[in-house]
Amino acid sequence: MEQPVFDHRKLGLDDVFEFACYPGISCFNICCFDVTLVLGPYDFLRLRKNLGLSSREFIDRFCDFYIGDVTQLPVVSVKMQSHDFSCPFLREEGCSVYPDRPASCRTYPLARFVGRDEEGKPFEIYRIIRETHCKGHFEKRPISVRDWIKEQGLEPYYEFNDLFGEIVFARQHMDRPLTAEELDLIYLACYGLEKFKEYVSSQAISLEGFSQDEIAAALKDDEKLLRLGLNFLKKTIFRDYLPQ
């Protein structure tokens, strides 16, 4: 797959761009080949739930798992098909997991950039990705960034991605390596919720920073459990490395 080129414009939520993708457009599904599709914890949860698989089954069947060279954090990415480098969820009619497709697929043709300025204040900008194979850019369909986010159902993805992004930020500012115990806990909270649920159940009385109502709700709902897990990592392992 060609390397994407980013439009020079930096878009805010109310800026407008033109784009449309639909069955029948000449480039339909081409973007689903030979891509590096890294899954955030929420992407991972939605996809495995869609397929009715446990965390371990989903990784074994569809993912590559490794430790990031720079961050030393767990990284999970979709394993492309060996015979044609297509996404394993691609079918002739399109994406077979479309209701639960990852955030990067939903955001395209935009790329979202978040961070903190020199004063430590968070910022969010968007840039358009331009690839020569994509004909969606020639469709005369204006839409604002804000409306695109709503249309593509991106709100919960961005919420969880930002929570995980704070952990990545904190890890980059740590002055020590992660211990094996810390790494195991990060993996469970992000990509092994079944085991993390057991951990939360065993620690419920002493899980500081969370009410018993929060814990009880998390044990009944995986999205709430994932949110609790990410916040738990922030309150414990990464507490001293996050902006106050």
Side-chain angles (χ1 to χ4, degrees):
M1 181 68 69
E2 66 186 279
Q3 291 297 311
V5 175
F6 292 102
D7 192 286
H8 69 281
R9 291 181 297 163
K10 295 179 180 179
L11 304 180
L13 293 174
D14 294 315
D15 289 317
V16 174
F17 64 102
E18 292 186 336
F19 186 82
C21 181
Y22 52 89
I25 195 170
S26 61
C27 59
F28 192 56
N29 292 342
I30 290 179
C31 57
C32 303
F33 287 81
D34 196 17
V35 292
T36 300
L37 193 54
V38 175
L39 301 178
Y42 189 67
D43 295 323
F44 181 89
L45 174 61
R46 288 281 295 261
L47 282 172
R48 77 166 183 84
K49 286 286 190 178
N50 179 291
L51 298 166
L53 299 175
S54 70
S55 298
R56 186 71 261 168
E57 289 171 331
F58 182 65
I59 289 176
D60 288 344
R61 290 180 59 180
F62 294 109
C63 300
D64 290 317
F65 170 77
Y66 53 97
I67 300 299
D69 290 337
V70 176
T71 64
Q72 200 193 354
L73 292 173
V75 179
V76 175
S77 62
V78 176
K79 186 187 304 180
M80 297 292 117
Q81 303 268 51
S82 59
H83 64 284
D84 63 357
F85 301 104
S86 65
C87 174
F89 309 121
L90 178 63
R91 304 292 181 268
E92 184 176 349
E93 65 275 14
C95 178
S96 64
V97 293
Y98 190 80
D100 298 291
R101 65 200 185 281
S104 56
C105 302
R106 292 169 184 264
T107 304
Y108 188 89
L110 299 177
R112 179 176 184 252
F113 298 89
V114 295
R116 294 182 180 273
D117 62 21
E118 293 180 356
E119 298 179 355
K121 297 178 181 178
F123 67 82
E124 173 186 32
I125 62 169
Y126 295 81
R127 295 180 69 182
I128 298 171
I129 302 171
R130 297 195 180 276
E131 297 173 295
T132 55
H133 69 261
C134 182
K135 309 306 180 186
H137 295 287
F138 300 99
E139 298 290 320
K140 299 301 180 182
R141 185 204 177 217
I143 187 169
S144 71
V145 172
R146 188 186 305 276
D147 287 342
W148 182 261
I149 291 169
K150 183 176 181 180
E151 178 185 270
Q152 300 299 315
L154 278 159
E155 294 95 336
Y157 286 85
Y158 287 172
E159 176 197 350
F160 280 97
N161 285 355
D162 288 349
L163 278 174
F164 186 64
E166 291 182 65
I167 291 170
V168 175
F169 173 88
R171 176 67 192 103
Q172 292 170 337
H173 290 79
M174 289 180 75
D175 54 2
R176 63 172 180 82
L178 293 167
T179 68
E181 292 78 10
E182 290 172 334
L183 189 56
D184 285 345
L185 191 54
I186 294 167
Y187 170 77
L188 293 183
C190 295
Y191 300 108
L193 285 184
E194 298 93 340
K195 293 291 186 181
F196 185 65
K197 182 180 291 187
E198 295 177 9
Y199 174 85
V200 171
S201 297
S202 67
Q203 301 287 325
I205 296 176
S206 60
L207 205 63
E208 296 183 6
F210 300 94
S211 70
Q212 291 303 305
D213 287 343
E214 284 181 283
I215 295 169
L219 292 175
K220 297 177 182 177
D221 182 282
D222 279 347
E223 287 195 16
K224 292 178 180 178
L225 181 63
L226 177 59
R227 186 181 292 107
L228 182 145
L230 294 172
N231 282 319
F232 173 72
L233 296 177
K234 288 170 56 181
K235 290 174 182 289
T236 54
I237 298 171
F238 300 104
R239 178 183 56 199
D240 296 331
Y241 305 95
L242 287 167
Q244 299 302 314

